[in-house]
Amino acid sequence: MLPTHTSAQVPDVPVALLPVGSFEQHGPFLPLATDTVIACTLAAEIAKTHAVRTLPPVTISCSHEHAGWPGTVSISAATLHAVVRDVAESLRGAGVPKLVLVSGHGGNYVLGNVVQEAHGDMALFPGFEQWEEARRAAGVETSGDSDMHAGELETSILLHAHPELVRAGYEAADHLADDRRHLLTAGMAAYTGSGVIGRPSLARADKGRDALRNLVAAFGDVLAVLQQQGRGAGQARDEAQHPVHDGDGEALR
């Protein structure tokens, strides 16, 4: 899960990927680090196709709604915001102006605010639309709303990428709770006794494979937009409109 390249092997590219997962219960058959494993797996697959550098993951994040189960550990939204902002600042100091937050945990709502505040120098991926497209492409039968946690999609991705992490029991662990209107107040325990909300019995390794392939392809659009936005792009536009000239009348670049 951790990048193992040396300093000399770090690619000289302007975009970095920061996997952001969680350390929270995923029922009795998936590991606490499921969201982190998925985020790291997706980041590694993206790096095989696109010109990006990968970073080690943020493993503990905002999982307060899962506090009713042993093993779950959380940090505050303010702490997560600060960590991501500091990572971005460190990267900018090293000449890497763009950062993509590869999110494996939907409960990290604050990441959207971090990206908003970055003025085009950050992106959050995958978003809701990308996840939905990946579901359709993979033939996932459960809707995104019903398949909320430790369900068909998450289990499928692990069955494909890390089958050794999937314990027995997912085949009979289905539980649906589509009406979760008080989730943030009452927590997950108000809607599930097992920690599962979804239909993991429908999970298949080929669905996980196809979902990852779709997400890697979709990342190309995110990368193109990111590279056109932000302070770096704005500076380039300003220089093109108002070039600095040397004594011989040649524009300096």
Side-chain angles (χ1 to χ4, degrees), residues 136-176:
R136 288 192 292 270
V140 172
E141 299 176 48
T142 319
S143 71
D145 185 61
S146 296
D147 199 49
M148 176 206 177
H149 192 70
E152 183 180 359
L153 181 58
E154 287 188 320
T155 306
S156 292
I157 291 175
L158 288 193
L159 283 174
H160 163 64
H162 302 282
E164 72 281 1
L165 299 182
V166 182
R167 281 73 165 180
Y170 72 90
E171 304 90 342
D174 292 2
H175 174 76
L176 297 179

Side-chain angles (χ1 to χ4, degrees), residues 205-230:
D206 61 314
K207 294 178 182 179
R209 177 200 64 205
D210 292 346
L212 286 173
R213 286 179 178 173
N214 182 270
L215 289 170
V216 170
F219 183 80
D221 290 338
V222 175
L223 186 60
V225 171
L226 183 65
Q227 291 174 330
Q228 295 169 4
Q229 304 299 316

Side-chain angles (χ1 to χ4, degrees), residues 16 33 40 49-50 77 97 116 164 187 190 209 253:
C40 288
T49 302
H50 301 282
Q116 281 181 317
E164 72 281 1
R209 177 200 64 205
R253 297 297 183 199

Side-chain angles (χ1 to χ4, degrees), residues 94-166:
V96 184
K98 306 289 185 177
L99 178 63
V100 179
L101 310 178
V102 181
S103 176
H105 175 48
N108 288 330
Y109 310 110
V110 71
L111 296 182
N113 298 117
V114 180
V115 171
Q116 281 181 317
E117 295 168 8
H119 305 290
D121 283 340
M122 279 193 206
L124 180 61
F125 181 82
F128 174 79
E129 293 80 7
Q130 286 101 3
W131 278 121
E132 287 301 296
E133 290 173 5
R135 286 177 176 277
R136 288 192 292 270
V140 172
E141 299 176 48
T142 319
S143 71
D145 185 61
S146 296
D147 199 49
M148 176 206 177
H149 192 70
E152 183 180 359
L153 181 58
E154 287 188 320
T155 306
S156 292
I157 291 175
L158 288 193
L159 283 174
H160 163 64
H162 302 282
E164 72 281 1
L165 299 182
V166 182

Side-chain angles (χ1 to χ4, degrees), residues 5-39:
H5 49 263
T6 68
S7 181
Q9 295 171 318
V10 175
D12 184 17
V13 294
V15 179
L17 305 182
L18 178 64
V20 183
S22 70
F23 199 71
E24 65 187 31
Q25 70 83 21
H26 274 75
F29 54 87
L30 296 183
L32 290 157
T34 290
D35 292 341
T36 303
V37 172
I38 290 175

